[in-house]
Amino acid sequence: PAHVKLTTSPDKPIDTLIINGAECEPYITADYREIMENPDDVLDGIYLIKKLLNIENVIIAVEDNKPKAIKTLYEIAADKRDTDDKVKLMKLKSRYPQGAEKVIIYSATKRKLPLGKLPSDVGCIVMNITSVAFISRYLRKGIPLVKKRITVDGNAITEPKNLLVPIGTPISHVLDLCKADEPQKVMMGGPMMGITVYDTSLPILKQNNAILAFKGKAAESKPQTDCIRCGRCMRACPMNLTPAPVEGALKNTNVDELNALNVMHCMECGSCAFACPAGRPLTAAMRLAKNEVRKAGK
């Protein structure tokens, strides 16, 4: 939550504010639209946080496949308020999961976030670009977060678009507005880290950034076969973990082995399951394995 990120302590000095504009999951463009539609709010939010928390350096991180956003953000970085040239724009390679907190901290500062630690433990605060713009509006108007910009897309959506949706709106209303064509699968969030929605009467929440709806082959899961030990899951993992052995240790409820495999470092990005030619539910296995470690108190 924003109030946790922005609560600093003297024993953990913050020297770098990272503005996360790396919208790396397919389909989602909500943050991009925030940059293009509300650049003044983004500008004010960045310099307000920098001033109020007395942070020396600001890095605005954005993927290199958004030239219009890069142009706008460059103007923000070059604003007259940046008298000591401490606000920088960093173009990141357009690849997944570039926007994940641990990944973007390393990309921007080469600092590694230890297990169980917060960005403040390595001298950083990471703020999403939409959150920064909202903070500016909140301090100016005093209106709390009552609506969220979300991307509505997928091959079952006839009219894909970005919408400003009041928090609490049923997902079914959003799908009807965008003329959903009998979707077989609805997801809250992106196709990699999002979760499947089984009841479209559920509401839009403040952390939602997308509703995706699919039909046909796009809605089908891969058929599962036995692991062929190809190692693709390991090569795909941004944290250099070994998901296939984790799945085996989970079946045996071997918590010590799960710890030895560093399962708690997993950020559940979904890359392993996406890369697996055998269709193994590796991301789900990683989530369950982490839960087993927590239950064991280890």
Side-chain angles (χ1 to χ4, degrees):
H3 73 275
V4 173
K5 292 185 178 186
L6 297 175
T7 301
T8 59
S9 60
D11 59 321
K12 295 179 182 178
I14 305 298
D15 58 42
T16 304
L17 170 65
I18 301 172
I19 306 299
N20 187 354
E23 209 161 28
C24 56
E25 284 210 62
Y27 294 101
I28 305 177
T29 54
D31 286 344
Y32 173 74
R33 291 313 312 165
E34 184 72 35
I35 296 167
M36 301 310 298
E37 294 172 24
N38 300 313
D40 291 338
D41 290 341
V42 175
L43 172 75
D44 290 341
I46 290 172
Y47 286 99
L48 270 170
I49 294 171
K50 183 179 188 295
K51 179 181 177 182
L52 292 173
L53 298 184
N54 194 28
I55 299 173
E56 183 179 3
N57 302 302
V58 178
I59 299 173
I60 307 172
V62 63
E63 290 186 301
D64 57 13
N65 64 344
K66 300 177 177 68
K68 291 182 181 178
I70 288 171
K71 181 181 178 183
T72 300
L73 292 172
Y74 180 77
E75 292 170 359
I76 290 172
D79 187 76
K80 61 184 179 182
R81 278 173 276 192
D82 185 28
T83 54
D84 50 1
D85 196 28
K86 294 293 186 178
V87 179
K88 304 289 187 181
L89 178 65
M90 174 178 280
K91 290 187 284 186
L92 304 172
K93 289 184 179 179
S94 180
R95 65 185 182 193
Y96 182 80
Q98 194 70 263
E101 194 168 66
K102 291 181 180 180
V103 176
I104 205 166
I105 288 173
Y106 183 77
S107 296
T109 66
K110 301 304 178 188
R111 300 172 190 174
K112 293 184 179 181
L113 187 60
L115 180 63
K117 299 295 184 180
L118 294 173
S120 57
D121 292 297
V122 292
C124 298
I125 292 177
V126 182
M127 293 294 294
N128 175 268
I129 210 154
T130 297
S131 299
V132 167
F134 168 73
I135 288 170
S136 170
R137 288 191 290 271
Y138 175 70
L139 292 177
R140 191 169 66 250
K141 300 178 180 179
I143 300 174
L145 186 64
V146 295
K147 58 187 177 182
K148 194 76 193 320
R149 179 186 276 101
I150 62 170
T151 300
V152 187
D153 207 342
N155 68 345
I157 299 296
T158 305
E159 296 181 3
K161 60 186 72 177
N162 282 281
L163 299 171
L164 277 171
V165 181
I167 292 171
T169 302
I171 293 171
S172 58
H173 290 199
V174 176
L175 295 175
D176 291 343
L177 183 64
C178 296
K179 296 181 170 55
D181 181 20
E182 298 182 359
Q184 297 168 250
K185 185 176 186 178
V186 177
M187 298 189 71
M188 185 182 286
M192 298 297 289
M193 295 186 76
I195 58 173
T196 303
V197 175
Y198 291 97
D199 183 359
T200 56
S201 66
L202 291 170
I204 298 296
L205 305 174
K206 67 177 183 178
Q207 65 265 36
N208 293 156
N209 60 352
I211 296 294
L212 305 181
F214 301 100
K215 62 180 180 179
K217 288 186 177 180
E220 297 173 3
S221 300
K222 288 181 185 177
Q224 288 185 37
T225 59
D226 291 335
C227 175
I228 59 174
R229 305 291 190 269
C230 65
R232 291 185 190 179
C233 59
M234 292 183 282
R235 290 195 292 273
C237 180
M239 302 304 293
N240 298 315
L241 303 179
T242 53
V246 167
E247 189 183 32
L250 174 65
K251 288 179 181 178
N252 298 322
T253 322
N254 189 336
V255 175
D256 291 331
E257 180 67 14
L258 292 174
N259 270 322
L261 292 167
N262 295 315
V263 68
M264 297 306 290
H265 282 277
C266 173
M267 58 187 183
E268 302 173 23
C269 67
S271 297
C272 54
F274 183 81
C276 179
R280 306 300 305 169
L282 296 173
T283 306
M286 298 295 275
R287 287 184 182 134
L288 292 170
K290 289 166 71 176
N291 191 50
E292 289 295 329
V293 172
R294 292 189 191 101
K295 285 197 299 183
K298 295 186 178 183

